[in-house]
Amino acid sequence: AQTVTQSQPEMSVQEAETVTLSCTYDTSENNYYLFWYKQPPSRQMILVIRQEAYKQQNATENRFSVNFQKAAKSFSLKISDSQLGDTAMYFCAFMKRSMDSNYQLIWGAGTKLIIKP
Amino acid sequence: DADVTQTPRNRITKTGKRIMLECSQTKGHDRMYWYRQDPGLGLRLIYYSFDVKDINKGEISDGYSVSRQAQAKFSLSLESAIPNQTALYFCATSDLFPHDEQFFGPGTRLTVL
């Protein structure tokens, strides 16, 4: 069963606008980790931002911030002052404890973000 | 120089052929992973290794095998390639903790005809 859901297959905004990418996940655990990764056309996967579930404060990295709503199991990514270089696929990922007690990243299907000049 | 390298970057092969994809890293990480990326499905974990003596199956290990030759090297093999294994394959590494960032190689695009 899909554990991480990204409901927006594709989005496009004008340069300098703010855009929010949505992500929801399913878990019964209380402590876990959430990530946003970016995949530009070069196909290199790059970490954008991460959030630890026990931290109530939303993570921020420069123009990137998250809105983490633990009760709603929602983890959206906000990109402010969007730039052409932000054009990429964005993947939400959830660190899940597997059956053998190891941790595995479970990935959403991705959102293609296009920044228009 | 790249911290995580993959060879080859692109490969076209025929059904039934044996294929090996190689991954090397200079980050000094013990943990290494192989993922497969298909359009509309995100990344799915094939195998992972937490040290040289530790190999674990991921979500979609059927039809694949791996070898951890050294801390820095982790290879993925397709013993008898089939067309539905056409995909983009990524190797990744990470440090010890669940919240640690995974560092990815540039990917191998594999086409099985």
Side-chain angles (χ1 to χ4, degrees):
Chain A
Q2 184 77 12
T3 306
V4 180
T5 303
Q6 295 180 249
S7 59
Q8 305 145 313
E10 184 169 330
M11 299 182 70
S12 65
V13 297
Q14 295 294 135
E15 192 176 8
E17 289 183 347
T18 294
V19 60
T20 299
L21 310 182
S22 66
C23 173
T24 59
Y25 58 94
D26 185 32
T27 183
S28 57
E29 298 178 15
N30 189 49
N31 194 22
Y32 47 87
Y33 307 93
L34 295 157
F35 304 81
W36 278 97
Y37 278 83
K38 167 185 177 180
Q39 185 180 39
S42 66
R43 79 190 192 199
Q44 183 76 42
M45 297 288 287
I46 303 164
L47 177 68
V48 175
I49 199 165
R50 84 188 90 186
Q51 176 81 39
E52 297 179 54
Y54 71 88
K55 290 186 177 179
Q56 293 186 342
Q57 186 173 6
N58 289 323
T60 299
E61 290 286 345
N62 300 313
R63 297 182 296 108
F64 298 87
S65 61
V66 299
N67 183 7
F68 173 49
Q69 301 290 328
K70 191 173 184 179
K73 297 179 184 176
S74 171
F75 183 59
S76 60
L77 175 69
K78 185 172 82 171
I79 305 174
S80 303
D81 185 28
S82 58
Q83 300 174 0
L84 297 179
D86 295 333
T87 292
M89 284 289 291
Y90 286 81
F91 292 95
C92 178
F94 166 74
M95 185 63 77
K96 168 188 171 183
R97 187 192 291 266
S98 61
M99 294 288 286
D100 56 4
S101 296
N102 289 318
Y103 285 90
Q104 297 181 16
L105 266 181
I106 306 299
W107 297 76
T111 295
K112 183 177 183 179
L113 176 64
I114 299 170
I115 309 299
K116 296 179 288 187
Chain B
D1 289 341
D3 296 316
V4 185
T5 57
Q6 292 182 236
T7 55
R9 292 294 306 276
N10 297 281
R11 180 72 183 268
I12 299 174
T13 191
K14 295 182 178 180
T15 296
K17 294 290 188 181
R18 183 178 187 274
I19 296 296
M20 178 179 286
L21 309 182
E22 299 186 345
C23 175
S24 295
Q25 53 112 349
T26 59
K27 298 196 73 67
H29 291 160
D30 284 325
R31 301 185 170 208
M32 299 188 72
Y33 312 81
W34 275 105
Y35 289 97
R36 166 178 173 160
Q37 183 180 16
D38 296 280
L41 292 178
L43 276 71
R44 291 180 291 168
L45 184 63
I46 306 173
Y47 271 95
Y48 60 103
S49 169
F50 284 172
D51 64 42
V52 175
K53 298 179 182 178
D54 176 76
I55 301 289
N56 302 283
K57 293 183 177 180
E59 178 187 356
I60 55 164
S61 58
D62 287 348
Y64 302 93
S65 62
V66 291
S67 173
R68 185 79 183 267
Q69 301 95 323
Q71 186 205 36
K73 295 184 182 297
F74 192 36
S75 300
L76 176 71
S77 294
L78 288 68
E79 296 300 327
S80 180
I82 55 177
N84 76 0
Q85 291 177 314
T86 292
L88 187 57
Y89 290 86
F90 283 100
C91 174
T93 75
S94 72
D95 215 332
L96 294 173
F97 300 105
H99 60 273
D100 285 328
E101 176 182 357
Q102 291 193 8
F103 293 88
F104 285 79
T108 295
R109 184 167 298 283
L110 176 66
T111 302
V112 183
L113 301 176

